[in-house]
């Protein structure tokens, strides 16, 4: 089966070298296997910056990443997310949750609770208490998945087979914003994605997403969670680390073509352009450790 790969940036600012390298790897994985490549702008949350998406797309083009079909904008797909939640709710797989972040953080510090996971308080609320909360709570409830499992296995090209925790994660936030995990699964399915190559900071989200995909009856994807680019101190690269975007690097005298060569070298390719790198591309040759920059 020829893969369909994707890149799904959040438009919170310009892409930095870590994002560009991930985009490049995702593109090379799909295109080197003769596959399609699609793009999605994950512009649902409050960190989205006007104009950032356009600059991100232009930077992708500048390094040689192209894509098939129209770009999918998450902010235009609220009905699709709502429909998925309604379908799950009809099957009794959704419940309302009034817990605050603080309550959840305090509870998840308890022994035997995986960090950050939801302990399920609101799943057991009785009808009378729910009526009271609906009438009197300071804000509307978020909607959570009533998960039937505690863990789920995913296949990852870099990390092998991995089982990770699955909790009753949020599907719709209290203000109606679709949660990241829901939107990713609904959209990967809508775009026909079969291969998800992304930063390994999202490896722990994969079991939740794969489980949700199984509930929604959408095909399983193949994952490759690739190492991040880190700064001299070993932390994930960020804007504050200096010249790390294409625009900053160009100002500092490194043209986009040179950036592409450096990034390709960092994944074991001696090619000068992404197209040239296609024939001999092998994800297995990319280092499994984070790439240090600066
Ligand atoms: N939008 C996410 C990010 O930029 C990536 C989501 C994904 O690849 O699943 O970090």
């Amino acid at each position: 089966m020829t893969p369909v790969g994707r890149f799904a940036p959040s438009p919170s600012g310009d892409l930095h070298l870590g994002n560009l390298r991930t985009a490049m790897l995702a593109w090379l994985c799909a295109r080197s296997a003769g596959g399609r490549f699609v793009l999605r702008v994950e512009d649902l949350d409050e960190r989205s910056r006007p104009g950032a998406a356009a600059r991100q797309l232009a930077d992708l083009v500048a390094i040689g990443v192209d894509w098939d079909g129209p770009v999918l904008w998450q902010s235009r797909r609220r009905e699709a997310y709502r429909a998925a939640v309604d379908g799950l709710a009809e099957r009794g797989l959704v419940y309302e949750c009034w817990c605050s972040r603080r309550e959840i953080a305090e509870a998840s510090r308890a022994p035997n609770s995986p960090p950050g996971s939801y302990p399920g308080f609101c799943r057991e609320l009785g009808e009378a208490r729910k009526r009271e909360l609906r009438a009197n709570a300071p804000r509307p409830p978020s909607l959570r998945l009533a998960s039937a499992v505690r863990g789920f296995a995913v296949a990852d090209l870099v990390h092998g087979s991995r089982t990770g925790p699955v909790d009753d994660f949020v599907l719709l936030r209290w203000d109606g914003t679709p949660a990241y995990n829901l939107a990713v699964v609904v959209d990967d399915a809508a775009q026909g994605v079969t291969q998800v190559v992304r930063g390994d900071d999202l490896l722990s989200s994969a079991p939740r997403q794969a489980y949700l995909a199984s509930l929604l009856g959408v095909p399983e994807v193949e994952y490759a969670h690739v190492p991040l680019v880190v700064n001299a101190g070993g932390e994930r690269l960020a804007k504050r680390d200096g010249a790390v975007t294409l625009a900053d690097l160009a100002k500092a005298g490194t043209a986009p073509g040179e950036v592409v060569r450096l990034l390709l070298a960092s994944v074991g390719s001696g090619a000068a352009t992404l197209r040239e790198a296609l024939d001999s591309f092998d994800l297995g040759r990319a280092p499994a450790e984070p790439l240090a920059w600066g």
Side-chain angles (χ1 to χ4, degrees), residues 6-11 19 40-42 74 180 184 188 196-199 201-202 209 236:
R6 49 78 147 178
F7 185 59
S10 301
N19 310 128
R40 173 162 85 236
V41 176
E42 302 210 322
Q74 288 193 326
Y180 157 68
V184 162
D188 278 340
V196 170
V197 178
R198 61 186 177 189
D201 53 330
L202 293 171
Q209 294 172 5
R236 177 175 6 172

Side-chain angles (χ1 to χ4, degrees), residues 164-190:
V166 175
D167 62 348
D168 288 355
F169 54 89
V170 171
L171 298 170
L172 281 184
R173 304 209 308 233
W174 69 271
D175 61 0
T177 307
Y180 157 68
N181 284 318
L182 171 75
V184 162
V185 173
V186 170
D187 288 344
D188 278 340

Side-chain angles (χ1 to χ4, degrees), residues 55-166:
R55 287 199 308 278
Q56 291 185 336
L57 301 187
D59 282 354
L60 291 173
V61 172
I63 65 163
V65 167
D66 66 350
W67 55 89
D68 300 304
V71 174
L72 189 142
W73 298 75
Q74 288 193 326
S75 57
R76 298 179 193 164
R77 290 186 36 81
R78 287 179 188 266
E79 305 84 71
Y81 310 130
R82 189 77 230 188
V85 173
D86 288 349
L88 292 166
E90 275 163 29
R91 294 156 60 195
L93 295 175
V94 175
Y95 66 91
E96 294 161 299
C97 172
W98 285 270
C99 292
S100 68
R101 260 175 218 265
R102 210 179 77 213
E103 286 164 327
I104 296 168
E106 278 165 12
S108 77
R109 278 202 295 272
N112 306 327
S113 174
S117 74
Y118 181 64
F121 297 140
C122 288
R123 189 162 170 169
E124 308 303 335
L125 294 177
E127 280 313 314
R129 178 76 181 128
K130 280 197 265 190
R131 268 196 304 277
E132 190 187 317
L133 283 163
R134 280 183 202 128
N136 301 321
R139 55 179 207 195
S142 59
L143 297 184
R144 289 186 180 272
L145 180 71
S147 166
V149 301
R150 304 290 297 271
F152 204 74
V154 295
D156 189 288
L157 291 174
V158 179
H159 299 267
S161 169
R162 278 274 182 137
T163 301
V166 175

